[in-house]
Amino acid sequence: MTNHELELKNITMQFGGVVAVDNLSMYVDSGEIVALIGPNGAGKTTAFNCVTGVYKPTNGQVLYRNSVIVSNHPQGKMAALYAGQDAGIYKETVEPTPDKITKLGLARTFQNIRLFKTQTVFENVLIATHLHRTSNLLTAALHLNYKEERKLRELALEMLRVVGLEDLKNEIATSLPYGKQRRLEIARALATKPKLLLLDEPAAGMNPQESDDLAQFIVSIKQKFNLSVFLIEHHMDLVMDISDRIYVIDFGKLIAHGTPGQIQDNPDVIAAYLGVDEQ
Amino acid sequence: MKTNKIIISILLIICAVGLIIYSSGSQDGLDELLLRMDTQNLADSDAKMQKALGRVQESILENDRNKILRNLDRYTETFSQKLDLGGQNAADLFIYKNGPSANAISILIFAIGIAILLSAFDKNGRLKLPSVYFVLVVALYAGVYIAENTIGSNSMLMTVLKKGVIYALIAVSMNLLNGFTGLFSLGQAGFMLIGAYTYAIFTIPPASRAQVYQYYDGGLIQFAMPAVPAIVLAGIAAAFFAFLIGLPVLRLKSDYLAIATLGFAEIIRAIFQYDGLGPITNGSNLLRRFTTFNTALFPFIVAGVSIMLIALVINSTYGRSFKAIRDDEVAAEAMGINLFRHKQMSFVISSFFAGVGGALLAMYQTTVQASAFKASMTYEILLIVVIGGMGSITGSVMTSFLFVAASEWWLRFLDNDLIIGGFQVPLLRSGFRMVVFSIVIMIMVLFYRRGIMGDKEFTLKKLFAPRVKKGGKEHD
Ligand SMILES: Nc1ncnc2c1ncn2[C@@H]1O[C@H](COP(=O)(O)OP(=O)(O)OP(=O)(O)O)[C@@H](O)[C@H]1O
Ligand SMILES: [Mg+2]
């Protein structure tokens, strides 16, 4: 058995008749930065959602450290509609809610930033420490958990320090500029103490300079917290710069896989990105 | 500085204790005082006076303070010529009348003393915010007690205060769910009904049950509980129903909760009037003769403690998760928050306190009837929550008092014909109050969409904090 940190096996996600992710198999090893790239609408975010429990895939399995965390096969109406492959191979049905996946140590950020809009920068990160609590409703309400509360606050502050937003901790989160909101999302994900970080277009809307800084930042937190990183990104400089391996998908299908050097010269990838008709 | 403070606080505390001892010394001796005033035993010879004195003594036996005061006043005023109302008697009479106020004031002085004492031992010698709140709360309760004992417990002011504080609890409980957790529920009246009935059913004394349940052979239950455990039981009963409703509904999209709770409230109202359950619920007949409160302090303390507990939950890590769910369910879930669990928690807590509020409302009304807990009651509470501000506890509390005062008191005149100098003022007629009230609320909702407080709280800190101009630099 191979020892991958995260492994996707034959993941297929079909919405009605649309196959958004088609038989995607891939893996992330411990300590790696792995990128998933592809043109708009290729199915990258959908693949993330299948891993994190937001969608339950129509078919396929997700393994985290060799244990099955998500598993499904076409059922019910989908059994007849199914347009993908390998329908019969995963008998188990495992469909955890997203919070369970997060508790396992997989934390994510969102492509379309999803901060808690009425809360301050600090509170946004503090909420992400809730899963570390040992207090129950009663002890928390009566403030008998003040020691733990102090620890959680320190953790939240520490994460703000890591992303360099400590000075802005009392601002309303959504009042921050775009780039800082993205960093705040990363701080929030880190506060759940993940082992694997899933970043959905963390550099979207950033200029080359900011994107460069972000690349260094991702490498630095990877080392600092001993993370593995699974990254979706359109900024090719960033991807080529920091990725150990790259997967490319188009129309939900895997079209290439390799090191940045191999991917850069792959004719299929160039064709997909330039929209060249292969016929 | 420190020693000064300690001395002052000790003096205040001594003063408070002295005042209590002084005023309590002559509180019970009213019988004796009546004898002393009537130095020549005139009451025995004068029939009218005998009758008036008899009324006072009767009300002493009934232990109804308001009645005693009323009859005592009538007695001493009518026969002031014949009675010895000078010297010690005057002082004792004054203290009898104002004893409760004196006690309330001495407790307030005591609280101030403690607050100053605490500030003396503070590192920076500052008065801490919790001490200030403590003193303010004591002052509020003392004020209510004094008002009750001077203006009288049946006055309009006391009615508004009592009903207002009960509505405040119910509004805050609804706000926890609708404002802080972002779940839209319309079942408040249903949970209040369960609370009110549970409380009433379990506190009617067995001796009165034959009368109350006259159509059902005295009913099924033949024991009574003390008031406070019954109130807790009322909350638990409401919470239990919320738990059951939540099991299927809270896993669905949040819109379903509104429909399910609204339906539940209607169904439960019908069930409680169902004749087959008569031995327990008394069918469609009134429940009465259960334990009620005889001082406004009771609802103030129960509602006050309840609201404080809700505030504590909201300010804990669980409350933060509720707000996260309200702001963005998907992100909250991605942060490891179990949506179902936390929604269930919020729903059950909210319903528990709606049940407690229902029990208090039953006590306030002294009778309960299921048919009164209509959907319009829920809308009333919802209105208070929206006007006060979704996500503001202080907003809900303030609006509850304003709402009750406006609907029960300030706008009452609109319902009565008013004739000034032979000219009948047009429009004023029964029902007009509702029209004005609705218009006021429509204006509120249209122009203050986020309510009086938005999702902010009214705090002393904000009131006294130096105002910092946003953006601009300070000029000197
Ligand atoms: N909930 C859904 N229901 C129906 N179709 C969906 C749903 N989510 C995604 N899709 C479809 O799946 C396809 C892939 O979408 P996805 O968001 O995964 O693309 P992406 O690779 O992340 O693109 P982008 O680079 O623009 O973010 C799109 O055609 C989209 O319309
Ligand atoms: Mg995407």
Side-chain angles (χ1 to χ4, degrees):
Chain A
M1 190 160 219
T2 46
N3 275 313
H4 300 308
E5 184 80 352
L6 179 77
E7 187 174 6
L8 281 69
K9 287 176 161 178
N10 309 90
I11 287 293
T12 303
M13 181 77 236
Q14 186 175 340
F15 298 106
V18 181
V19 184
V21 177
D22 196 351
N23 210 24
L24 176 65
S25 295
M26 57 173 291
Y27 64 88
V28 178
D29 278 340
S30 179
E32 270 191 316
I33 297 181
V34 173
L36 178 63
I37 65 171
N40 287 101
K44 305 181 293 293
T45 301
T46 306
F48 255 36
N49 285 339
C50 288
V51 172
T52 54
V54 176
Y55 295 151
K56 72 175 181 198
T58 320
N59 188 41
Q61 263 189 349
V62 181
L63 285 80
Y64 175 66
R65 297 195 171 172
N66 292 328
S67 54
V68 175
I69 59 169
V70 175
S71 178
N72 199 16
H73 53 91
Q75 301 182 47
K77 257 197 296 183
M78 212 22 105
L81 259 171
Y82 188 59
Q85 301 149 28
D86 298 326
I89 54 178
Y90 302 107
K91 296 281 183 274
E92 271 179 284
T93 309
V94 185
E95 19 180 281
T97 45
D99 57 289
K100 301 236 168 54
I101 304 275
T102 308
K103 280 174 194 146
L104 288 175
L106 287 78
R108 70 174 293 181
T109 65
F110 294 92
Q111 178 179 357
N112 48 342
I113 303 174
R114 282 178 171 270
L115 292 168
F116 303 117
K117 54 185 179 296
T118 65
Q119 310 289 307
T120 65
V121 168
F122 179 64
E123 284 162 341
N124 260 276
V125 184
L126 193 55
I127 286 164
T129 67
H130 183 63
L131 79 172
H132 304 307
R133 77 194 179 278
T134 55
S135 59
N136 58 35
L137 184 65
L138 197 69
T139 56
L142 299 179
H143 292 250
L144 301 174
N145 65 338
Y146 60 95
K147 277 189 194 141
E148 180 179 85
E149 176 79 13
R150 202 182 312 139
K151 264 196 225 146
L152 297 185
R153 284 172 184 272
E154 269 162 26
L155 172 65
L157 207 57
E158 168 69 22
M159 293 309 133
L160 281 180
R161 233 172 268 140
V162 167
V163 301
L165 292 177
E166 200 191 358
D167 297 342
L168 299 168
K169 70 187 173 87
N170 293 322
E171 301 292 318
I172 293 295
T174 43
S175 72
L176 299 187
Y178 215 59
K180 290 192 167 136
Q181 290 194 24
R182 291 215 175 272
R183 277 182 179 247
L184 179 53
E185 275 223 341
I186 295 176
R188 203 172 61 166
L190 289 175
T192 66
K193 294 192 180 164
K195 296 172 199 100
L196 176 71
L197 190 59
L198 297 101
L199 303 172
D200 196 347
E201 301 200 17
M206 290 186 176
N207 62 35
Q209 176 60 46
E210 286 172 321
S211 152
D212 231 37
D213 292 345
L214 184 74
Q216 299 319 308
F217 174 69
I218 292 171
V219 173
S220 81
I221 54 170
K222 189 203 97 171
Q223 276 155 1
K224 188 174 160 89
F225 297 106
N226 251 327
L227 299 171
S228 317
V229 178
F230 185 9
L231 172 79
I232 295 175
E233 191 45 71
H234 279 298
H235 283 60
M236 280 310 135
D237 292 346
L238 186 151
V239 171
M240 296 301 163
D241 201 16
I242 63 171
S243 306
D244 296 306
R245 287 180 302 114
I246 299 172
Y247 289 89
V248 189
I249 57 173
D250 193 13
F251 295 110
K253 281 198 177 69
L254 190 65
I255 57 168
H257 166 216
T259 61
Q262 294 166 335
I263 294 297
Q264 255 162 340
D265 303 328
N266 187 313
D268 291 343
V269 176
I270 295 166
Y273 268 89
L274 296 179
V276 174
D277 201 337
E278 283 173 75
Q279 281 290 293
Chain B
M1 195 57 206
K2 186 170 167 178
T3 43
N4 280 358
K5 273 187 181 168
I6 295 176
I7 291 168
I8 289 172
S9 61
I10 288 174
L11 286 178
L12 282 175
I13 291 168
I14 291 174
C15 169
V17 173
L19 197 54
I20 289 186
I21 294 172
Y22 179 68
S23 67
S24 65
S26 46
Q27 276 217 38
D28 301 321
L30 186 59
D31 280 316
E32 200 191 308
L33 175 61
L34 287 169
L35 274 180
R36 262 193 284 138
M37 289 195 300
D38 188 13
T39 41
Q40 288 139 37
N41 276 335
L42 282 165
D44 282 341
S45 52
D46 186 332
K48 258 192 185 165
M49 204 164 144
Q50 211 173 355
K51 218 171 158 188
L53 181 62
R55 268 198 223 104
V56 180
Q57 280 159 341
E58 224 171 81
S59 40
I60 292 175
L61 285 181
E62 282 175 40
N63 207 6
D64 182 342
R65 204 186 135 79
N66 282 306
K67 220 167 166 185
I68 299 175
L69 284 179
R70 217 179 317 126
N71 289 324
L72 187 63
D73 274 345
R74 203 172 298 149
Y75 177 63
T76 51
E77 272 160 35
T78 323
F79 304 102
S80 59
Q81 307 289 313
K82 299 180 181 173
L83 293 171
D84 176 12
L85 293 176
Q88 183 62 33
N89 288 354
D92 284 355
L93 204 56
F94 178 81
I95 285 176
Y96 179 76
K97 283 186 190 165
N98 297 296
S101 308
N103 285 342
I105 290 170
S106 39
I107 285 171
L108 179 57
I109 294 173
F110 191 84
I112 295 172
I114 298 280
I116 294 177
L117 195 62
L118 284 177
S119 79
F121 288 105
D122 184 65
K123 256 188 271 148
N124 308 315
R126 286 232 193 88
L127 197 56
K128 278 279 173 58
L129 213 53
S131 312
V132 178
Y133 278 114
F134 170 66
V135 169
L136 282 180
V137 168
V138 173
L140 173 74
Y141 282 72
V144 170
Y145 194 55
I146 291 170
E148 184 171 39
N149 281 292
T150 50
I151 308 173
S153 60
N154 296 322
S155 63
M156 201 36 113
L157 176 68
M158 291 315 296
T159 304
V160 167
L161 285 179
K162 281 186 278 192
K163 197 172 174 191
V165 83
I166 296 168
Y167 265 52
L169 169 59
I170 298 164
V172 170
S173 78
M174 193 174 195
N175 209 338
L176 171 66
L177 194 65
N178 291 35
F180 286 96
T181 320
L183 290 172
F184 201 63
S185 149
L186 292 172
Q188 223 64 2
F191 296 115
M192 285 161 70
L193 185 152
I194 290 173
Y197 264 78
T198 306
Y199 174 81
I201 289 168
F202 285 107
T203 60
I204 298 173
S208 307
R209 288 194 184 256
Q211 268 179 310
V212 176
Y213 289 92
Q214 52 179 323
Y215 302 111
Y216 301 99
D217 298 330
L220 209 62
I221 296 161
Q222 290 299 340
F223 66 92
M225 286 170 80
V228 173
I231 290 176
V232 175
L233 190 67
I236 291 173
F240 175 71
F241 275 88
F243 177 81
L244 289 186
I245 297 169
L247 282 180
V249 173
L250 289 176
R251 292 185 198 276
L252 305 174
K253 264 184 63 190
S254 29
D255 314 352
Y256 290 97
L257 186 65
I259 300 163
T261 48
L262 189 64
F264 155 76
E266 290 300 311
I267 291 166
I268 207 82
R269 189 155 55 93
I271 289 177
F272 273 70
Q273 296 183 67
Y274 168 55
D275 199 51
L277 286 175
I280 296 167
T281 62
N282 210 14
S284 55
N285 309 296
L286 281 176
L287 282 176
R288 56 203 165 89
R289 306 220 163 184
F290 46 83
T291 315
T292 58
F293 48 75
N294 44 24
T295 164
L297 283 187
F298 187 84
F300 265 83
I301 288 170
V302 175
V305 168
S306 302
I307 291 172
M308 199 182 78
L309 286 175
I310 297 175
L312 283 172
V313 169
I314 287 170
N315 285 315
S316 75
T317 180
Y318 288 89
R320 289 196 292 266
S321 317
F322 295 165
K323 288 186 245 178
I325 291 172
R326 169 192 70 190
D327 284 355
D328 192 326
E329 283 195 4
V330 175
E333 220 174 4
M335 293 306 119
I337 295 169
N338 185 324
L339 285 188
F340 174 72
R341 269 288 169 70
H342 286 80
K343 286 178 178 178
Q344 190 182 44
M345 249 183 239
S346 175
F347 188 39
V348 167
I349 298 169
S350 164
S351 305
F352 176 87
F353 287 109
V356 169
L360 288 177
L361 197 65
M363 296 177 98
Y364 164 78
Q365 292 172 338
T366 70
T367 60
V368 182
Q369 197 162 21
S371 58
F373 293 85
K374 291 197 186 73
S376 59
M377 194 178 245
T378 301
Y379 298 142
E380 238 175 43
I381 309 284
L382 182 63
L383 208 66
I384 292 173
V385 172
V386 171
I387 292 178
M390 299 276 260
S392 172
I393 298 173
T394 43
S396 289
V397 172
M398 289 189 292
T399 313
S400 295
F401 284 105
L402 286 177
F403 180 89
V404 173
S407 64
E408 305 262 321
W409 190 7
W410 297 336
L411 298 182
R412 278 273 159 186
F413 75 94
L414 294 171
D415 271 6
N416 302 325
D417 295 338
L418 181 66
I419 296 165
I420 303 172
F423 171 72
Q424 169 147 20
V425 180
L427 293 176
L428 295 189
R429 187 181 307 151
S430 182
F432 189 58
R433 178 173 60 110
M434 301 285 212
V435 177
V436 174
F437 205 57
S438 317
I439 292 173
V440 170
I441 286 162
M442 261 193 278
I443 292 172
M444 283 286 317
V445 173
L446 283 177
F447 297 102
Y448 288 88
R449 196 153 309 161
R450 296 181 22 82
I452 298 172
M453 300 295 297
D455 61 357
K456 303 282 182 299
E457 295 294 351
F458 177 84
T459 62
L460 286 179
K461 219 173 180 173
K462 275 182 207 156
L463 202 62
F464 293 116
R467 260 153 237 247
V468 186
K469 272 189 212 154
K470 256 203 167 159
K473 276 184 199 149
E474 296 264 20
H475 294 283
D476 37 348

